[in-house]
Amino acid sequence: MLISPDMIALITQARAERPKLRERDLAATLGLSEAQLVAAEAGGAATRIVADPARLMPHICQMGDVMALTRNESAVHERRGVYKNFHAGAHASMVLGDEIDLRIFPRHWVHAFAVRGETDQGVKRSVQVFDAAGDAVHKVHLGAGSDAAAFDAAISDLAVPDDAPFEIAARAAPEPARIDAARIDALRSEWAQMTDTHQFLAMVRRLKMNRLGANRAVGSTFARQLPVDAVSWALERSAAEALKIMIFVGNEGCIQIHSGPVQRIEPMGPWQNVLDPRFNLHLRADHIAEVWLVSKPTKRGPAVSVEAFDAEGRLILQMFGKRAEADIETSGWDRMAKGLAAEVLA
C-alpha cells in the first residue's frame, strides 16, 4: 500500500466534505503532494505505471485526440490534439505535433498513474505524471473521441508492481535572481553574439547567473522591464490583431507550447484566461511580480519575447511571435511588443 490506511481515510473524508475542490488544492489543505493524493486511489481508480517518457509517450501517441495539461504554480496550459512525432532522449525529449508541442526533461518524470473514475458524465480517464516531490509535471486527459483501448493497453504494459518503492522527496526551494557583477560585461558581449535562442540558458549558467538575473543585468539593449499587467495587454492585443504567437508554460519536467492565434480573452477574478476551442490558458495575474521585454539575436533576426516571473523568481510564462521553418514572419508580434513597451514606459 502506497499510502497508510489512516491517510486514506483522511483523504476520503476531505473529498466528501469539499467535493468541488481541485485535487491540487485539496492536497495542499492536507499538507500532502498531489501524487500522494492520487496514490491513495492505487488499486482502485488509480494504477501506478512507469513514468519514463521513452516508454510512456509511445502509448500516449496511440490515444488519439486528448487534452495535454502542463502547469506551474501560476499558470495552467491546456492544449487539445494528438501526440505525434515523439523523439526520446536521455536528457531531453520532444513531442513535435501540430497541436501538442512539448519539451520533456525525463529525470523529473518520477511517479506516474493511469486514473480511471466514474462520474456523472461517464468514465474519465487520465495519465498523470509527477516529479520526485509529488508535484504535477504533465497530465493527459482523454475525452469522448480518445482511444480507450490504447489507455488500457498502457496500463497492461506499464503497470508497476505493488511493492515498488514510493517515496516523496522534499520540494526544492525556488532559485532567486542570480547576478555575478564581475561577469556583466561578458554577459552583454556573449548575448550580442548569440545566433540561436537555445544558446541562452547554457550561456547564463556558464556566467554563474540565471534567466531572471540575466534579464536584470544585461541592460536595456536586450531587456526592458514592463509593468506587471503587460502580459494581459499582450494577450488582448494579440487577439485583437489576430497575431500568430507562441505561449510557453512549464515546470522543471515539461514545457508546453501553444503556437497560433488566441481569440477569447476572459479575465475572471485574479485569473486571466484564454478560452479557445482547442487551447486554454489560466494565468494567475496576481502572481506576476516582474515582466520583461527581451530580445535575443538569432540568424533569422531578433527573437522578441514577453517573460513573466513570480515574486520568488520563478518563470511563469513566455510569449513570442510564432516562428517555424515555413512561417518565420513575426513582424506583427515584434511591432506590437515593442510598441507596447514604448507606450507603457512613456
Side-chain angles (χ1 to χ4, degrees), residues 88-134:
H91 303 291
S93 302
M94 296 181 289
V95 175
L96 299 175
D98 294 335
E99 293 185 292
I100 308 298
D101 188 0
L102 307 175
R103 306 296 177 267
I104 294 167
F105 306 100
R107 73 185 183 91
H108 295 286
W109 289 49
V110 178
H111 307 293
F113 296 87
V115 182
R116 176 171 42 201
E118 298 284 347
T119 71
D120 293 339
Q121 292 77 40
V123 178
K124 285 192 174 182
R125 299 173 176 85
S126 63
V127 176
Q128 305 187 25
V129 182
F130 303 90
D131 64 13

Side-chain angles (χ1 to χ4, degrees), residues 28-182:
T29 65
L30 295 173
L32 300 173
S33 70
E34 192 177 351
Q36 289 172 303
L37 206 65
V38 178
E41 301 291 323
T47 302
R48 193 173 173 209
I49 59 175
V50 172
D52 179 5
R55 292 189 60 190
L56 178 56
M57 276 296 157
H59 284 282
I60 293 175
C61 288
Q62 300 300 314
M63 293 182 190
D65 191 75
V66 297
M67 189 266 278
L69 186 154
T70 300
R71 70 167 301 157
N72 53 46
E73 293 289 334
S74 305
V76 184
H77 191 295
E78 301 171 347
R79 193 68 165 88
R80 295 193 177 276
V82 178
Y83 284 69
K84 298 179 180 178
N85 299 323
F86 171 64
H87 301 269
H91 303 291
S93 302
M94 296 181 289
V95 175
L96 299 175
D98 294 335
E99 293 185 292
I100 308 298
D101 188 0
L102 307 175
R103 306 296 177 267
I104 294 167
F105 306 100
R107 73 185 183 91
H108 295 286
W109 289 49
V110 178
H111 307 293
F113 296 87
V115 182
R116 176 171 42 201
E118 298 284 347
T119 71
D120 293 339
Q121 292 77 40
V123 178
K124 285 192 174 182
R125 299 173 176 85
S126 63
V127 176
Q128 305 187 25
V129 182
F130 303 90
D131 64 13
D135 292 328
V137 169
H138 187 64
K139 296 182 181 181
V140 182
H141 292 273
L142 283 71
S146 306
D147 190 331
F151 178 84
D152 293 340
I155 294 175
S156 296
D157 186 43
L158 302 177
V160 171
D162 293 340
D163 59 352
F166 178 74
E167 298 177 358
I168 298 297
R171 185 176 288 112
E175 181 185 56
R178 191 169 71 246
I179 300 173
D180 188 330

Side-chain angles (χ1 to χ4, degrees), residues 209-272:
M209 303 189 202
N210 59 10
R211 185 187 297 276
L212 180 55
N215 286 354
R216 289 180 180 177
V218 72
S220 61
T221 299
F222 297 115
R224 286 181 285 173
Q225 191 168 5
L226 302 177
V228 293
D229 49 1
V231 173
S232 290
W233 294 344
L235 286 169
E236 290 164 1
R237 295 188 185 188
S238 294
E241 298 184 31
L243 299 177
K244 293 181 178 180
I245 63 174
M246 303 178 75
I247 301 176
F248 293 64
V249 169
N251 50 58
E252 292 292 326
C254 189
I255 299 170
Q256 186 164 308
I257 307 163
H258 163 76
S259 296
V262 292
Q263 298 169 326
R264 183 183 167 194
I265 313 299
E266 295 280 356
M268 298 178 186
W271 295 92
Q272 178 63 284

